[in-house]
Amino acid sequence: ILFLSSCQPNKMFTLVEPGRIEIDKIYSIENNSIWSQFQQKEYNFIFWTVNGYSLERIVFFRPIDDNESLYDHNSFFTRESEKRPTYNSNMNKFEIKEFFEDCILWSKRLIKINSSNFKNYKIDNIDGLTFDIEGQNELGLNYKGFVIACIKDKKLYLAYFIASRMEFFDKYQKDAKTILNSIKFL
């Protein structure tokens, strides 16, 4: 059964080699190590990992329009019975941070999340924000990471890195910062 489900044509894991990489005709980034990329057409995000989604990941979201959420209602992670948080292009930077946190909690990716170190940040010369995050999943695993976000043409562009605090955050944070700092819009 596992073999058959991994062969579905709309699910794709690909090896990402070092170099300048294009992500879904949205971003271009400079990668300095080997990652695996997961992409599925019905999700509005692509993630990279080395050891697996629950240990470390970089998540790149496709642009989010007004009245959309980071995680769509068709995802098996989400709960349709609860109202999902939605984006509004008039949000200020603090509201974007709260929107991200609400989406993470709503999707059940983490059951606790705290943010700190809130700062202005530029993504490819577009004014945005960055902040650090810490949280815990439902199994009690503690995570640490950071988020970058900006609004371009009224759309929210957001990416984040998160990893287990125990071993993987320290091991991959430098690579993740280099990758996210290199984002260029296509």
Side-chain angles (χ1 to χ4, degrees), residues 7 13 18 46 58 62 66 76 81 89 91 110 114-115 119 137 156 161 174:
C7 294
F13 271 101
I46 296 163
I58 300 173
R62 293 180 175 97
D66 278 317
F76 68 90
S81 62
S89 58
M91 287 178 166
L110 297 175
N114 295 309
S115 58
K119 294 189 239 178
N137 72 7
L156 177 64
F161 166 73
K174 185 177 177 186

Side-chain angles (χ1 to χ4, degrees), residues 41 72 79 168:
K41 291 180 183 180
D72 60 33
R79 309 283 186 260
F168 294 97

Side-chain angles (χ1 to χ4, degrees), residues 122-148:
K122 287 194 182 270
I123 301 175
D124 196 16
N125 290 321
I126 305 286
D127 289 334
L129 68 140
T130 185
F131 54 95
D132 296 333
I133 55 173
E134 291 190 31
Q136 187 178 71
N137 72 7
E138 62 187 13
L139 300 174
L141 186 60
N142 292 313
Y143 290 92
K144 190 172 179 180
F146 57 89
V147 178
I148 63 169

